[in-house]
């Protein structure tokens, strides 16, 4: 399938790329619901992906009582509730507030922060990012200007390992040794080197400078600015220096990044963490409560949702980590890299989305069943999309499976450009083989 290699073709603009403010920011939240074919949709921002077990159980209860019964994870480590009745908005807002998930109604859609999920758990990284997370979220919620950010604008807090630095956030903080941090704007390789203690405030300053630049052109994200990220970066550096912060420029290439490894994560202390994936990023009540019960009884009572639609459970006693991981696997969670579900994602597809041309989740499941465990060695992630918008697709290198009027097109994408011709097929066995072949680099 990958033998012929024509010149790379740039992918079409994706949903959420360049959007005019004249249309209004329709990005859903917990208070502003989005109408879909399967009912209303609520998107609950979870900064850094950090949930207490009680909050996680509360979301599951709302999904069962008001929605489709499943907790859906997003590519930003947030939670979506689907299949909601149009009349449930008031109750939903009240319960979210009681659970501590709505610290500011005016800012609930702009609390978009991803963070290194294993920070402080595995002995890697340069700095524990939880203090950054708390400080940034509090300052965003306290800022009148920050309320003007779009629901698409994204902050990333990287502990130095380069995982969330690779996700293309609008403003990224990456920890360095020696009490320093790098501030990245968009995907620029030039970064501003600042004091780590001043980093959360500098990130908010960068967002405010972006809003000033966006006011004249209608940009939602840094990538939408007509001049790109360069002029914004220069303006941010000037603003930080004017505030008295020492700032140096440095070059730091954007890393390739990688999700947390699945399985037992051994830490430097007396406890481990368990890292698991959710098949297609969703879990029903039984599967979800297996996670929350484990976190409460055997962990430190916390879940960390990852931008790769996975969950990390910290604080598990080292002597029981393997046994508990096996229990999560028995509940249907993805616990190792050889699982056929590892790296497989999909949009909601039919019947939830009117624009979708196929039941992509059902077809993805059929392909997984047909191919079995993935071979040992590296495998590209694969993302199934019901239409050309490719909502929620990954970044970097991935296998693009897109539904069309006559079947699916399968191609490999690297940094937004196709380097393989599409394979059009509607035969399940042929499709499964095409996807499996495309996932293996060098084939």
């Amino acid at each position: 399938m990958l033998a012929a290699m024509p010149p790379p073709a740039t992918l079409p603009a994706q949903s959420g790329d360049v959007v005019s403010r004249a249309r209004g920011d329709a990005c859903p939240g917990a208070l502003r619901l989005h109408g879909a074919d399967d009912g209303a949709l609520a998107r609950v921002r979870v900064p850094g992906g950090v949930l207490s077990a009680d909050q996680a159980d509360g979301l599951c209860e709302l999904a069962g009582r008001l929605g489709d019964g499943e907790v859906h994870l997003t590519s930003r480590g947030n939670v979506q509730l689907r299949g909601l009745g149009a009349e449930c908005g008031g109750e939903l807002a009240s319960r979210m507030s009681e659970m501590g998930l709505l610290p500011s109604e005016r800012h609930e859609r702009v609390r978009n922060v991803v963070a290194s999920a294993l920070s402080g758990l595995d002995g890697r990284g340069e700095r524990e990012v939880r203090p950054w997370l708390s400080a940034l979220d509090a300052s965003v919620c306290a800022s009148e200007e920050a309320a003007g950010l779009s629901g698409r604008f994204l902050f990333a807090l990287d502990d130095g390992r380069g995982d969330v630095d690779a996700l293309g956030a609008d403003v990224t903080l990456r920890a360095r040794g020696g009490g320093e941090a790098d501030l990245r704007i968009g995907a620029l390789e030039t970064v501003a080197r600042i004091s780590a203690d001043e980093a959360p405030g500098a990130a908010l300053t960068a967002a405010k400078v972006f809003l000033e630049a966006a006011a004249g052109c209608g940009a939602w994200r840094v990538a939408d600015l007509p001049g790109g990220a360069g002029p914004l970066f220069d303006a941010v550096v000037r603003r930080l220096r004017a505030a008295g912060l020492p700032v140096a420029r440095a070059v730091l290439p954007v890393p390739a990044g990688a999700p947390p490894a699945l399985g037992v994560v051994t830490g430097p202390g007396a406890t481990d963490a368990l890292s698991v994936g959710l098949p297609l990023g969703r879990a029903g009540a039984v599967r979800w409560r297996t996670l929350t019960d484990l976190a409460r009884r055997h962990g430190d009572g916390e879940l960390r949702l990852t931008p790769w639609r996975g969950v990390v459970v910290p604080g598990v006693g080292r002597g029981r980590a393997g046994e508990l991981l096996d229990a999560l696997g028995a509940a249907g969670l993805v616990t190792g890299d050889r699982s056929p579900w590892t790296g497989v994602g999909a949009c909601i597809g039919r019947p939830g989305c009117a624009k979708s041309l196929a039941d992509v989740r059902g077809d993805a499941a059929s392909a997984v069943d047909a191919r079995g465990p993935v071979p040992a060695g590296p495998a590209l992630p694969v993302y199934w999309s019901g239409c050309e918008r490719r909502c929620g697709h990954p970044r970097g290198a991935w296998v693009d499976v897109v539904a069309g009027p006559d079947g699916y097109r399968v191609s490999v994408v690297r940094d937004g450009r196709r380097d393989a011709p599409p394979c059009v097929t509607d035969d399940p066995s042929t499709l499964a083989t095409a996807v499996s072949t495309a996932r293996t680099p060098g084939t």
Side-chain angles (χ1 to χ4, degrees):
M1 185 186 78
L2 304 181
M5 300 290 284
T10 302
L11 287 175
Q14 307 304 317
S15 173
D17 283 353
V18 180
V19 181
S20 169
R21 282 183 179 262
R23 295 176 54 189
D25 182 9
C27 199
L31 302 180
R32 179 186 294 180
L33 306 187
H34 169 74
D37 271 23
D38 58 348
L41 177 154
R43 185 172 298 157
V44 185
R45 268 61 177 192
V46 185
V50 179
L51 283 176
S52 71
D54 289 343
Q55 288 174 326
D57 275 341
L59 290 171
C60 184
E61 184 267 333
L62 289 172
R65 188 162 53 82
L66 303 177
D68 67 2
E70 293 191 316
V71 176
H72 301 255
L73 303 189
T74 77
S75 59
R76 293 183 167 191
N78 292 322
V79 170
Q80 287 189 163
L81 305 180
R82 300 190 65 99
L84 300 167
E87 72 288 345
C88 76
E91 181 179 359
L92 190 67
S94 176
R95 288 286 292 117
M96 293 286 181
S97 182
E98 291 172 2
M99 289 188 286
L101 293 172
L102 289 179
S104 170
E105 292 186 2
R106 295 190 62 235
H107 297 81
E108 64 98 3
R109 291 189 307 142
V110 306
R111 300 171 68 224
N112 290 305
V113 188
V114 294
S116 298
L118 297 183
S119 183
L121 300 180
D122 62 353
R124 296 180 56 201
E126 299 289 346
R127 184 185 184 93
E128 162 67 76
V129 297
R130 184 64 67 86
W132 277 358
L133 177 62
S134 299
L136 178 60
D137 188 36
S139 62
V140 166
C141 289
S143 168
E144 288 297 316
E145 298 101 312
L149 293 169
S150 80
R152 301 169 175 85
F153 193 90
L154 180 64
F155 296 94
L157 306 180
D158 193 301
D159 71 354
R161 73 186 65 215
D163 56 350
V164 296
D165 188 12
L167 296 182
D170 297 281
V171 176
T172 298
L173 295 177
R174 182 166 171 177
R176 290 179 51 82
E180 292 184 321
D182 290 323
L183 172 68
R184 189 189 305 278
I185 303 298
L188 286 180
E189 292 195 347
T190 303
V191 297
R193 191 149 291 167
I194 56 178
S195 165
D197 292 338
E198 302 291 344
L204 180 60
T205 295
K208 293 178 180 179
V209 176
F210 163 79
L211 284 172
E212 295 169 7
C217 65
W220 292 121
R221 301 195 63 188
V222 168
D224 302 338
L225 293 171
L232 178 63
F233 174 80
D234 293 338
V236 170
V237 169
R238 288 195 297 271
R239 186 70 57 86
L240 294 175
R241 286 174 173 167
L245 269 66
V247 180
R249 294 176 184 247
V251 175
L252 182 70
V254 179
L262 300 176
V264 176
V265 179
T266 301
T271 62
D272 293 331
L274 302 181
S275 174
V276 298
L278 270 59
L280 297 180
R282 59 183 182 175
V286 172
R287 190 172 289 173
W288 187 254
R289 289 198 169 110
T290 299
L291 276 167
T292 59
D293 288 347
L294 189 151
R296 190 179 288 108
R297 295 172 57 196
H298 303 288
D300 60 9
E302 177 181 283
L303 304 178
R304 298 188 186 183
L305 314 182
T306 80
W308 298 273
R309 298 180 174 89
V311 180
V312 174
V313 182
V316 175
R318 181 153 298 154
R320 300 201 61 188
E323 167 196 349
L324 295 172
L325 183 70
D326 289 342
L328 294 180
L333 292 155
V334 184
T335 59
D337 291 337
R338 294 294 309 283
S339 167
W341 283 109
T342 301
V344 179
C347 70
I348 195 65
R350 287 181 179 172
C353 177
K355 291 183 171 61
S356 179
L357 300 176
D359 175 12
V360 292
R361 295 193 170 201
D363 292 339
S366 296
V368 165
D369 290 341
R371 300 307 298 174
V374 298
L380 293 176
V382 56
Y383 197 80
W384 296 67
S385 301
C387 71
E388 293 287 347
R389 297 186 304 163
R390 298 175 173 85
C391 296
H393 71 73
R395 295 181 62 85
W398 51 288
V399 177
D400 184 36
V401 186
V402 181
D406 302 315
Y408 284 93
R409 290 175 293 129
V410 181
S411 59
V412 176
V413 174
R414 289 180 173 83
D415 297 321
R417 298 174 68 83
R418 300 182 191 275
D419 65 355
C423 172
V424 180
T425 179
D426 56 5
D427 175 72
S429 178
T430 303
L431 178 59
T433 300
V435 172
S436 180
T437 302
R439 294 192 70 186
T440 305
T443 59

